[in-house]
Amino acid sequence: KKRVVSGVQPTGSIHLGNYLGAIKNWIPLQNTYDTLFFIVDLHAITLPYETQQLSRATRDTAAIYLACGVDTSKASIFVQSHVRAHAELMWLLSSATPIGWLNKMIQFKEKSRKAGDENVAVALLTYPVLMASDILLYQSDFVPVGEDQKQHLELTRELAERVNYLYGGRKLKKLGGRGGAIFKVPEPLIPPAGARVMSLTDGLSKMSKSAPSDLSRINLLDSKDVIANKIKRCKTDSLSGLEFDNPERPECNNLLSVYQLISGKTKEEVAQECQNMNWGTFKVLLADSLIDHLHPIQIRYEEIISDSAYLDRVLAEGSKRAADIADATLNNVYQAMGFLRR
Ligand code: ATP
Ligand code: MG
């Protein structure tokens, strides 16, 4: 079976972008692939954060995975920091990563600019190396992510090839050795729609957990009233009629796309249904469909989060299985890099 891995950071609350760009797309993959979904808590400390909230946010994220339909009879859910190999492999990979590759990363540039360059942690720069470890440890074939992670995935692929060349099969083969790669080179799976859900307050920036204004996103656990209010207040324009793909109307395109994905309708159906609508009518329609779609997820979330023994069990089983796979890869890397065996 081919393998799929993906994860979300436990920073702030999970929003519609995380759901439409990533989590929702994991669900059908469970039937075909060997799937591992993790909560990437080690990534959540790269910007200033509240220590008292990290563990709570980690459990919440796990409960949301389950509430969205991750099924532990098919998939494993675990916490990144519970599998020590992630941090360990990151160190090994860091030695094979040219610093110039990291300096080019858009997320680093954006997040460090927002954080004010002086106090930016080294970890924000090296974040993609940890992400590469998350993926390469599991010899993953596919990684379902939103559009914003495409560049990091590309770096992961290049790093896998570089390590394979420097320490593994290809170089050895050239020298007359046996060959055989250390890492599988993974492919991103970016959804055709929903890969980049935009902020409710600015149609040109992506919806994000770390954006300061909560009005910029719909959180998966927002109440009915909050959803209705956020949609009511979200940015629109003064043109009449609604349309997809007009570059002058990024908010319009974004909101129609969200409606399309949440309602399960086709783009053509939505284009037709909404072409003569005014914003007032459309906003009510959108808010109602969001509320209806998220309601069952929220009910399941409440059940799961209140059963802490169950959640503990899921995470313990998940990390045990993950550690078995990860440790095997890590041992191989140590050997290939020439370390003394323990
Ligand atoms: P942060 O602002 O802390 O980076 P985030 O909202 O970007 O948070 P992540 O945990 O970094 O969330 O990303 C988790 C997954 O959600 C990734 O696969 C990412 O590509 C996807 N994702 C994040 N934001 C969006 C978005 N606006 N649209 C679609 N997918 C998204
Ligand atoms: Mg992000």
Side-chain angles (χ1 to χ4, degrees), residues 271-288:
Q272 201 164 41
E273 180 185 359
C274 304
Q275 61 183 340
N276 298 318
M277 266 184 203
N278 62 33
W279 279 115
T281 315
F282 175 71
K283 281 183 164 186
V284 173
L285 182 67
L286 176 61
D288 286 347

Side-chain angles (χ1 to χ4, degrees), residues 6-11 13 15-23 26 40 47 107 111 127 144-149 194-199 206-211:
S6 195
V8 173
Q9 298 184 61
T11 40
S13 42
H15 55 74
L16 211 51
N18 304 136
Y19 178 66
L20 297 175
I23 304 173
W26 299 349
V40 289
L47 289 170
Q107 177 176 293
K111 287 194 174 178
Y127 174 115
V145 285
E147 176 80 35
D148 63 307
Q149 293 303 322
R196 195 168 175 80
V197 176
M198 308 312 275
S199 156
K206 93 168 181 77
M207 189 177 281
S208 187
K209 284 196 239 92
S210 54

Side-chain angles (χ1 to χ4, degrees), residues 41-59:
D41 54 349
L42 294 172
H43 286 280
I45 63 169
T46 51
L47 289 170
Y49 71 103
E50 298 285 344
T51 50
Q52 310 92 302
Q53 280 168 23
L54 183 60
S55 64
R56 165 90 214 249
T58 303
R59 292 180 77 84

Side-chain angles (χ1 to χ4, degrees), residues 53-96:
Q53 280 168 23
L54 183 60
S55 64
R56 165 90 214 249
T58 303
R59 292 180 77 84
D60 270 0
T61 307
I64 287 179
Y65 288 2
L66 291 162
C68 289
V70 174
D71 175 352
T72 51
S73 71
K74 300 172 188 155
S76 299
I77 301 180
F78 67 96
V79 177
Q80 182 191 28
S81 66
H82 294 179
V83 179
R84 295 185 187 266
H86 289 249
E88 222 171 310
L89 179 62
M90 186 206 169
W91 179 255
L92 301 180
L93 291 184
S94 302
S95 325

